[in-house]
Amino acid sequence: MSDARAPIQPSTGVLVHSRKDRERAVGHWLLTAAHDIAKARDEWGTRGIALLRCGGVFTAVRIPADLVQAAAGTREAGRISTYLGEALSGPVFIDTSSQRYYALVPASTARRWDRRAVPGVECLGSGAYLGVPRPQRTDPEEARAYWCVPMDGPGDRCNPVAVLQVVTYGALQRELAACRAAEEDHQ
């Protein structure tokens, strides 16, 4: 048997959690943001989306899809997910009906977020509620809202500086595309 097929021997002190265990732990963590945990758990079970409060355990940055597509340089969902995973290193979900992405960031982000930084981008802090898909919803074919970059574990969030960099870059790319289109129209 080659080394590539040899079973992995656990190292002393290394604890490995299955994806299912991590999703369960993420679900419990997210549910701490629910006004009514039992109701939110039921909403996840029946509709796949639960209404959760922002500003406690997380804040969400709402980003228009065209801005994310401009930053990623593509409209293809799989490539956008890969781009966001690499650029943000934190959880992001999309609501395909509203064409908006939501990057989860630390709750303190809302106090420092400059509303004028990038038009159309909004930081949802205290007092805001958000329909959040259950952690297992990662398939774009499954439903209108899904995790394109799933949470890796409880408390996992994007770095707000990275989110700002992505949206700023997307705004720049969108503006450059509009300028190029205007130049072509005048030729």
Side-chain angles (χ1 to χ4, degrees):
M1 177 184 281
S2 75
D3 289 340
R5 293 187 189 151
I8 297 172
Q9 298 299 319
S11 301
T12 305
V14 174
L15 184 60
V16 179
H17 294 282
S18 71
R19 178 179 174 93
K20 188 171 268 203
D21 287 342
R22 284 194 319 272
E23 287 172 346
R24 189 176 304 117
V26 164
H28 289 302
W29 183 80
L30 284 170
L31 286 173
T32 64
H35 179 69
D36 180 336
I37 292 174
K39 181 178 179 185
R41 187 177 284 120
D42 183 56
E43 288 173 345
W44 270 349
T46 57
R47 298 183 323 157
I49 296 174
L51 196 60
L52 303 179
R53 288 183 302 225
C54 296
V57 295
F58 67 85
T59 288
V61 178
R62 180 170 40 208
I63 311 165
D66 69 322
L67 200 66
V68 173
Q69 293 163 354
T74 184
R75 296 176 66 88
E76 199 271 305
R79 290 179 53 207
I80 290 171
S81 295
T82 300
Y83 170 78
L84 290 173
E86 292 171 359
L88 300 181
S89 300
V92 181
F93 70 88
I94 181 172
D95 181 333
T96 58
S97 66
S98 69
Q99 289 297 295
R100 293 186 176 150
Y101 286 83
Y102 295 86
L104 298 192
V105 294
S108 61
T109 304
R111 292 189 298 273
R112 296 185 310 258
W113 191 264
D114 182 359
R115 296 176 208 220
R116 301 162 297 175
V118 178
V121 176
E122 189 176 358
C123 189
L124 308 173
S126 291
Y129 284 81
L130 180 62
V132 177
R134 71 177 179 267
Q136 298 81 3
R137 251 190 171 165
T138 57
D139 184 357
E141 303 299 318
E142 182 182 329
R144 71 173 208 159
Y146 66 93
W147 293 94
C148 53
V149 182
M151 291 186 78
D152 203 29
D156 185 25
R157 288 162 293 185
C158 299
N159 180 319
V161 173
V163 174
L164 182 59
Q165 289 174 333
V166 165
V167 298
T168 302
Y169 179 68
L172 174 65
Q173 291 300 102
R174 186 171 61 183
E175 187 64 31
L176 288 173
C179 288
R180 282 192 293 269
E183 284 178 5
E184 290 174 7
D185 287 346
H186 285 31
Q187 291 179 355

